[in-house]
């Protein structure tokens, strides 16, 4: 981990970012009828192992999807929405569209976990398959958009998605205002952008750390290079963390994310197990990575660990493809 690179609360509102504290508060009001307030969880057993007080909160995908869909006027919404996603955002868009009473066209890569595909079907989403690559997902989504007139609800590179996901930060800090560090999973950067913009507007000195899988560490490479880096391929059990940063999320990650902690898949599986056994919640790999980062040697050997006392951990997603998980466990 390197030195802190984030700017303060004024910076979070004055650099022309895609979202800000005002759009995030507007999102909070817009989605309130549709999204339950998520309880903050804690475990004295986990605190004892980590050596810090941890506070867990999550359920962010439905926030971004709901804000994007309910921000549409009736004319825009009439032809439905389209998105591309490997799972959680796909299901969130399908559910939010169902609540709005409009069609949802969901482009899903062929390697998406079956449990996540089942959720999309359960919420009435129209599934269109793509190849695994981001390029294929985007091109298929563009074709569907052209054919149907549906509005694109981007999984991360969108103001309303970022603003909706940022509401999790408002809730966390409303309940535990003394939090001094928040660890957030990073992929396309929508969640961490929203969290950082909200948190640093409320408390400019708060530390925002990203947690990223070693097999998909493009964000860490991007921070080091000072520009967006994409990878030819990714290889991680955290299937929800395989996207690359977008042009709207990168400036926030560059300026307001203080550091990125990279962890391997074994550490992620260990954190999942701890969530099951001690926190008593079902968490998928992408959601458990924040705890894995808090437990990592990289974090514990950094100045951030010594300067942190109360740490917020953003956790979301209980959609575990058990077949893949057991296979991973048996390989260890």
């Amino acid at each position: 981990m390197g030195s802190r690179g984030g700017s303060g609360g004024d910076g979070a509102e004055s650099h022309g970012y895609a979202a800000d504290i005002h759009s995030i508060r507007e999102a909070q009001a817009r989605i309130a009828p549709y999204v339950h307030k998520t309880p903050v969880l804690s475990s004295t057993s986990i605190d004892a192992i980590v050596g810090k007080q941890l506070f867990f909160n999550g359920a962010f995908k439905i926030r971004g999807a709901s804000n994007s869909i309910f921000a549409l006027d009736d004319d825009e919404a009439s032809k439905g929405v389209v998105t591309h996603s490997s799972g959680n955002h796909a299901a969130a868009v399908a559910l939010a569209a169902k609540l709005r009473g409009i069609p949802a066209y969901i482009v899903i890569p062929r390697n998406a976990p079956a449990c996540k595909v089942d959720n999309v079907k359960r919420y009435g989403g129209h599934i269109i398959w793509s190849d695994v690559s981001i390029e294929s997902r985007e091109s298929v989504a563009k074709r569907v958009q052209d054919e149907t007139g549906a509005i694109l609800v981007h999984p991360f590179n969108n103001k309303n998605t970022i603003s909706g996901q940022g509401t999790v930060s408002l809730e966390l800090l409303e309940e535990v205002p003394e939090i001094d560090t928040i660890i957030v999973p990073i992929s396309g950067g929508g969640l961490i952008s929203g969290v950082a913009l909200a948190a640093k507007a409320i408390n400019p000195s708060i530390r925002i750390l990203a947690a990223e899988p070693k097999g998909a560490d493009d964000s860490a490479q991007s921070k080091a290079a000072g520009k967006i880096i994409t990878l030819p391929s990714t290889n991680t059990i955290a299937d929800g963390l395989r996207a690359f940063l977008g042009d709207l999320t990168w400036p926030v990650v560059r300026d307001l994310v203080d550091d990125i902690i990279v962890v391997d898949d074994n550490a992620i599986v260990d954190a999942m197990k701890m969530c099951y056994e001690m926190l008593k919640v079902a968490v998928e790999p992408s959601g458990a990575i924040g705890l894995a980062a808090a437990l990592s040697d990289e974090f514990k050997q950094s100045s951030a660990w010594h300067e942190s006392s109360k740490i917020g951990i953003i956790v979301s997603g209980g959609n575990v493809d058990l077949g893949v998980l057991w296979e991973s466990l048996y390989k260890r």
Side-chain angles (χ1 to χ4, degrees), residues 88-198:
N88 289 333
H89 177 73
V93 168
L95 175 56
K98 182 178 180 179
L99 293 171
R100 180 91 193 246
I102 61 175
Y105 304 97
I106 313 296
V107 177
I108 300 180
R110 298 185 187 279
N111 66 340
C115 60
K116 296 186 179 183
V117 176
D118 290 342
N119 283 339
V120 173
K121 293 178 180 177
R122 188 175 299 116
Y123 297 137
H126 304 283
I127 294 176
I128 303 97
W129 296 103
S130 74
D131 291 333
V132 174
S133 70
I134 295 293
E135 293 78 11
S136 175
R137 299 187 205 184
E138 291 178 342
S139 66
V140 173
K142 180 63 166 62
R143 189 193 75 220
V144 173
Q145 193 175 9
D146 291 342
E147 292 173 352
T148 63
I151 299 293
L152 177 67
V153 178
H154 199 280
F156 54 86
N157 205 46
N158 173 277
K159 172 182 178 176
N160 288 325
T161 301
I162 293 169
S163 297
Q165 293 182 353
T167 62
V168 71
S169 192
L170 298 182
E171 286 190 10
L172 181 61
L173 292 176
E174 284 168 4
E175 189 157 341
V176 193
E178 62 270 26
I179 283 175
D180 51 45
T181 299
I182 305 178
I183 302 179
V184 191
I186 191 168
S187 181
L191 171 64
I192 200 167
S193 292
V195 168
L197 288 164

Side-chain angles (χ1 to χ4, degrees), residues 5-6 15 17 223 226-227 245 249-257:
H15 282 72
Y17 300 124
K223 282 281 277 186
K227 62 181 181 179
L245 296 168
T249 58
W250 162 240
V252 184
V253 172
R254 178 193 63 207
D255 298 345
L256 301 183
V257 173

Side-chain angles (χ1 to χ4, degrees), residues 35-332:
V35 177
H36 296 298
K37 186 172 182 179
T38 311
V40 175
L41 303 177
S42 60
S43 165
T44 55
S45 297
I46 294 178
D47 290 351
I49 292 170
V50 176
K52 304 287 181 181
Q53 280 189 279
L54 304 187
F55 301 90
F56 298 84
N57 201 354
F60 59 87
K61 290 295 185 181
I62 188 62
R63 297 168 184 269
S66 294
N67 189 49
S68 295
I69 288 172
F70 283 96
L72 299 174
D73 62 36
D74 289 342
D75 184 59
E76 290 174 320
S78 62
K79 294 182 179 179
V81 291
V82 59
T83 195
H84 56 87
S85 168
S86 66
N88 289 333
H89 177 73
V93 168
L95 175 56
K98 182 178 180 179
L99 293 171
R100 180 91 193 246
I102 61 175
Y105 304 97
I106 313 296
V107 177
I108 300 180
R110 298 185 187 279
N111 66 340
C115 60
K116 296 186 179 183
V117 176
D118 290 342
N119 283 339
V120 173
K121 293 178 180 177
R122 188 175 299 116
Y123 297 137
H126 304 283
I127 294 176
I128 303 97
W129 296 103
S130 74
D131 291 333
V132 174
S133 70
I134 295 293
E135 293 78 11
S136 175
R137 299 187 205 184
E138 291 178 342
S139 66
V140 173
K142 180 63 166 62
R143 189 193 75 220
V144 173
Q145 193 175 9
D146 291 342
E147 292 173 352
T148 63
I151 299 293
L152 177 67
V153 178
H154 199 280
F156 54 86
N157 205 46
N158 173 277
K159 172 182 178 176
N160 288 325
T161 301
I162 293 169
S163 297
Q165 293 182 353
T167 62
V168 71
S169 192
L170 298 182
E171 286 190 10
L172 181 61
L173 292 176
E174 284 168 4
E175 189 157 341
V176 193
E178 62 270 26
I179 283 175
D180 51 45
T181 299
I182 305 178
I183 302 179
V184 191
I186 191 168
S187 181
L191 171 64
I192 200 167
S193 292
V195 168
L197 288 164
K200 295 215 175 198
I202 294 167
N203 176 8
S205 66
I206 200 167
R207 180 181 290 100
I208 305 296
L209 302 177
E212 187 170 46
K214 186 176 181 180
D217 65 344
D218 58 286
S219 297
Q221 293 188 37
S222 297
K223 282 281 277 186
K227 62 181 181 179
I228 296 178
I229 300 293
T230 59
L231 306 176
S233 63
T234 59
N235 181 20
T236 175
I237 192 175
D239 62 274
L241 302 180
R242 293 173 178 164
F244 305 134
L245 296 168
D247 63 336
L248 299 184
T249 58
W250 162 240
V252 184
V253 172
R254 178 193 63 207
D255 298 345
L256 301 183
V257 173
D258 296 295
D259 221 327
I260 299 178
I261 304 168
V262 177
V263 296
D264 63 29
D265 279 5
N266 285 344
I268 294 172
V269 172
D270 287 341
M272 287 178 66
K273 185 171 181 286
M274 190 175 293
C275 287
Y276 281 119
E277 293 179 349
M278 299 182 186
L279 203 58
K280 308 302 182 186
V281 294
V283 178
E284 66 184 74
S286 302
I289 194 170
L291 176 57
L295 291 162
S296 69
D297 289 339
E298 180 181 352
F299 181 45
K300 291 184 176 181
Q301 293 168 4
S302 71
S303 60
W305 189 84
H306 295 286
E307 295 167 4
S308 299
S309 174
K310 299 179 185 298
I311 303 172
I313 306 286
I314 304 301
V315 177
S316 189
N319 300 302
V320 182
D321 191 329
L322 293 177
V324 174
L325 175 60
W326 302 150
E327 182 180 350
S328 173
L329 288 169
Y330 289 138
K331 284 181 178 178
R332 300 178 71 201

